[in-house]
Amino acid sequence: MNGECFQQFLDWLSQQLGGDYAILQVDQAPAHTSSAIRWQEFIIPLFQPPSAPGLNPIERLWQLLKKPLKNQLFSSLQTLRVGVARRRHRIQEIFDQLTLEQVISVSSYNFILEALFYAASY
């Protein structure tokens, strides 16, 4: 991802919000922190501290997705290649089976939600 792609996402998000406010949690990736990014006034960036992947909600989702794919051994390079193709299919199956409730449960952090509710009360 680069700044141009991120800007396209922000522009799309702005249209979806229709003037509502949103807090967008982002890490310190160069695409997120570039001075070329044009933040709309109703999208408030919440920057994570550097080197804090534990605060990134997507990391918890990746843990859930990787769990059924762990501890696979391959006896040869060819077996590995076949395994990679099967894993792609398996990853798609795992994504397809995810429910919105599962994604919310593993990617929400109570302290973040509490801070957002607190901020919204003012």
Side-chain angles (χ1 to χ4, degrees):
M1 182 174 81
N2 59 30
E4 184 179 323
C5 289
F6 186 58
Q7 186 64 61
Q8 288 176 9
F9 168 73
L10 289 175
D11 295 343
W12 173 84
L13 181 59
S14 296
Q15 291 174 354
Q16 302 304 308
L17 290 171
D20 288 337
Y21 280 83
I23 297 174
L24 182 64
Q25 182 180 352
V26 291
D27 60 19
Q28 298 281 336
H32 301 152
T33 59
S34 169
S35 60
I37 297 297
R38 296 178 318 277
W39 290 93
Q40 299 290 334
E41 66 181 54
F42 47 86
I43 299 177
I44 302 163
L46 175 62
F47 290 99
Q48 296 172 188
S51 303
L55 295 178
N56 190 342
I58 196 67
E59 296 298 333
R60 291 173 65 177
L61 181 61
W62 293 143
Q63 287 176 0
L64 175 73
L65 294 173
K66 289 190 279 186
K67 192 181 243 181
L69 304 172
K70 281 183 168 180
N71 299 324
Q72 294 184 10
L73 300 176
F74 302 97
S75 59
S76 70
L77 185 57
Q78 182 57 32
T79 309
L80 173 62
R81 288 181 178 135
V82 171
V84 167
R86 286 187 185 140
R87 286 182 110 174
R88 284 187 193 133
H89 179 71
R90 180 68 180 124
I91 290 168
Q92 186 61 54
E93 287 177 345
I94 294 167
F95 266 112
D96 291 344
Q97 293 171 359
L98 278 177
T99 66
L100 179 60
E101 290 77 20
Q102 286 175 308
V103 173
I104 290 170
S105 74
V106 299
S107 62
S108 339
Y109 289 91
N110 288 339
F111 70 91
I112 292 173
L113 296 175
E114 289 169 7
L116 294 176
F117 290 132
Y118 179 77
S121 69
Y122 283 95

